[in-house]
Amino acid sequence: MSLVECIPNFSEGRDSAVIQAIADAIASAGVHLLDVSSDADHNRTVITFAGEPDVVAEGAFRGVRAAAERINLAVHSGVHPRIGAADVVPFVPLRGVSMQVCAELAQATGARIAADLNLPVFLYEAAAKQPGRTNLANIRRGGYERLQARMQSDPAMQPDYGPATLGPAGAVVVGAREPLVAYNAYLDTDDVSIAKAIAKAVRASSGGLPFLKAIGLLVDGRAQVSMNVIDFRQISLHTVTEAVRAEATKHGTTVTRTELIGLVPQQALIDAAIESLALPANVRDLILEQRVGAATGNFQTIPFE
């Protein structure tokens, strides 16, 4: 069985009716709807679903269409960067499917979105047709408010598909990538400048940790370091957390809590636990549920009541 995951980010985190309508539209394609995660300050919803490639592509298209019909970027506000109602639509290979297949799926879906919905579409990461678009941040820089001017003045900012003009639904970025972990750390301060300074210190683009993107935001009255761990196999959540804690101490504050946005691969949590507890790597082979699953074919969680 071929299994593809899709994790579109929509620019609505407050209106439950709009969020439900988008989720229902995606589910109507017959996908496995796995998670819906919304945040009012970010004004953003992340929906995770999976299934066979063609079914997932259909779910993604229906979700984009529902969002474009209901979300007006001209009156949208939120702390998270965005350029579209359906802001970013990544396809991730899970089982029995290659990254190349996901890239082709993203390209076909992007072309359909442009043709049927008349929206500008940019391709990113493994689906990118231009080298400068492998990094999502390069496309989204300046947000919806500046995108029209960038498309008009910069030949390198012409969309891959669709018109070079913006309507109320904005543009859509579609791509294929490896699984990432969306991970946020809240600080014991409302001074967002501290969160921004910490983000700059820890992110890869500023010489910090490899495979880490980070920005500083004000969320729920607290300064937040909002992060994407691009490759959890190369940099663990424990290492990321300790780096943020060390920087927070330099600024006279602490990390009060962390959170995950959307779903996380089990391996990422196991790796973080092993590093935090200073256990040897072969502990992975000593996990009870894994041994039981390998022996019985049933990998369900064992309830210790």
Side-chain angles (χ1 to χ4, degrees):
M1 175 183 178
S2 298
L3 191 62
V4 171
E5 180 187 30
C6 188
I7 316 98
N9 289 215
F10 300 100
S11 297
E12 178 56 69
R14 300 168 185 168
D15 190 326
S16 59
V18 171
I19 295 166
Q20 188 63 55
I22 296 170
D24 288 346
I26 292 170
S28 71
V31 301
H32 301 287
L33 192 64
L34 303 177
D35 185 67
V36 179
S37 178
S38 301
D39 183 272
D41 286 293
H42 284 251
N43 203 3
R44 194 172 184 83
T45 293
V46 178
I47 298 180
T48 306
F49 56 98
E52 293 279 356
D54 290 346
V55 175
V56 167
E58 179 64 29
F61 175 80
R62 294 185 188 188
V64 172
R65 182 174 60 192
E69 292 170 349
R70 292 167 172 82
I71 300 172
N72 184 349
L73 266 290
V75 296
H76 178 275
S77 64
V79 299
H80 199 286
R82 79 286 181 272
I83 62 170
D87 189 53
V88 57
V89 183
F91 293 91
V92 177
L94 292 184
R95 288 180 183 155
V97 63
S98 67
M99 182 62 74
Q100 180 60 34
V101 167
C102 281
E104 293 169 359
L105 199 67
Q107 291 164 357
T109 302
R112 183 184 178 193
I113 290 168
D116 291 5
L117 304 180
N118 198 35
L119 297 175
V121 174
F122 296 86
L123 299 172
Y124 85 114
E125 290 222 8
K129 294 186 176 183
Q130 300 184 39
R133 295 185 183 172
T134 55
N135 188 344
L136 175 60
N138 293 339
I139 302 171
R140 207 160 56 188
R141 186 170 294 113
Y144 171 81
E145 291 75 13
R146 288 190 55 198
L147 182 57
Q148 183 66 69
R150 292 179 71 202
M151 288 193 295
Q152 290 176 342
S153 64
D154 186 355
M157 276 304 295
Q158 294 300 299
D160 291 285
Y161 306 114
T165 56
L166 285 186
V172 187
V173 187
V174 185
R177 60 164 173 78
E178 297 287 352
L180 62 75
V181 180
Y183 182 61
N184 302 330
Y186 288 86
L187 307 176
D188 190 20
T189 178
D190 59 3
D191 187 346
V192 71
S193 68
I194 294 177
K196 291 180 178 180
I198 293 171
K200 183 177 181 180
V202 301
R203 65 188 175 221
S205 64
S206 302
L209 296 174
F211 305 102
L212 182 67
K213 295 182 178 182
I215 57 176
L217 304 171
L218 185 66
V219 177
D220 201 22
R222 296 285 91 184
Q224 181 197 84
V225 183
S226 178
M227 296 171 283
N228 280 342
V229 182
I230 302 303
D231 192 340
F232 65 87
R233 295 159 296 190
Q234 303 291 330
I235 186 78
S236 78
L237 294 179
H238 174 74
T239 298
V240 170
T241 305
E242 289 304 296
V244 173
R245 282 176 174 156
E247 291 297 324
T249 298
K250 293 178 184 178
H251 290 274
T253 189
T254 59
V255 174
T256 58
R257 65 183 178 93
T258 61
E259 68 178 0
L260 294 165
I261 303 299
L263 303 184
V264 59
Q266 176 179 271
Q267 182 184 331
L269 298 181
I270 292 173
D271 289 349
I274 288 173
E275 186 174 356
S276 176
L277 298 172
L279 291 167
N282 68 357
V283 165
R284 292 181 183 84
D285 299 325
L286 303 178
I287 297 172
L288 174 63
E289 287 85 352
Q290 292 295 320
R291 288 286 184 94
V292 171
T296 67
N298 186 342
F299 287 89
Q300 288 183 308
T301 300
I302 299 172
F304 295 100
E305 298 176 350

